[in-house]
Amino acid sequence: MGQVIDKTVKILKLVAAQEHCTLKSLCAAAGYKKSALCQQLQSMVRNGLLLRDIAGEYHLGPLFSDLAARREENVLLRKTAESIAVDLNTACGGDVTIATIRNGKYRRLFSCSSFRLTRPTANAPDEECFYANATGRVLLAEAAPDLRVRIIDRIGLPAPLEWSEASGDLKTLLRELKKIRQQGFASVFRSHPGRCFIAAGCTDGNAGLPVAVGISVPPSGFDETKLLELLRPALERLDFTSQP
């Protein structure tokens, strides 16, 4: 496997340096036999690492531009999430969490409170809290059906303490998730630690995954209408599907 990777990297470096590479020029530069190199190049073309034009010349493939674009989009999403979280925190004084689903797991993009800013790093663990909080419920409700089923199969049904209304069976859980999709938001009320939660979501058009924005405030400051009015423009800023 290591030799294959080394060979692939060597070919990519040669193509990147020369751009207009033929099979003959690559054989000469890399020192590989024509038959062995031809098979390698065909595999790299199939997987998007290389592109072969009608003249038979090789160029770097579309996979690289796709990955670069995805990286830029992810950076934009994180920067937008940070700006939204800070703005919402200033507007309502509550804790704000913006989350998405990564590799089938609940993942915070950014969180903000009056006391701290949290920027999750690559080493921060993913959180499995779809049922216990409003953002998680919205994410699960807005996820594509196949992804939703995979997550539920992996984490099981919610315990009564996590979500009593949906803890009976799968049919009950799906009915509650459908209700969230229809109303467009989820609320969670807790007596401890004395805070109420509300969240709404949209779809990140880049990855096709849901993104949820949640606000947590003390019960005395919970005004559903006001908080939803704050969430809607925040979701519009996150809704990359509507952007050109």
Side-chain angles (χ1 to χ4, degrees), residues 14-93:
L14 287 171
V15 173
Q18 301 178 27
E19 262 305 314
H20 302 286
C21 298
T22 63
L23 177 58
K24 182 178 180 180
S25 65
L26 283 172
C27 285
Y32 298 133
K33 293 182 179 180
K34 183 177 179 180
S35 58
L37 184 57
C38 186
Q39 292 180 354
Q40 178 77 13
L41 293 174
Q42 289 174 353
S43 175
M44 293 173 71
V45 170
R46 284 196 304 271
N47 288 282
L49 293 172
L50 292 178
L51 176 67
R52 185 174 186 269
D53 63 26
I54 58 175
E57 296 180 337
Y58 293 91
H59 312 267
L60 292 180
L63 180 62
F64 293 99
S65 58
D66 291 346
L67 291 175
R70 179 62 60 84
R71 183 180 183 278
E72 290 179 3
E73 290 163 352
N74 287 339
V75 170
L76 174 61
L77 179 60
R78 285 188 176 276
K79 287 183 177 179
T80 305
E82 177 175 347
S83 174
I84 290 171
V86 173
D87 289 348
L88 282 176
N89 173 255
T90 301
C92 69

Side-chain angles (χ1 to χ4, degrees), residues 172-191:
T172 302
L173 172 59
L174 294 177
R175 184 169 61 245
E176 291 299 316
L177 291 173
K178 182 179 179 180
K179 187 185 301 182
I180 290 174
R181 288 198 304 278
Q182 291 173 337
Q183 69 183 12
F185 68 93
S187 298
V188 178
F189 301 95
R190 296 179 183 170
S191 57

Side-chain angles (χ1 to χ4, degrees), residues 25 33 54 62 73 85 94 132 141 152 181 206-207 209 231 237-238:
S25 65
K33 293 182 179 180
I54 58 175
E73 290 163 352
I152 294 173
R181 288 198 304 278
N206 307 318
L209 294 174
L231 283 172
R237 292 171 63 184
L238 279 170

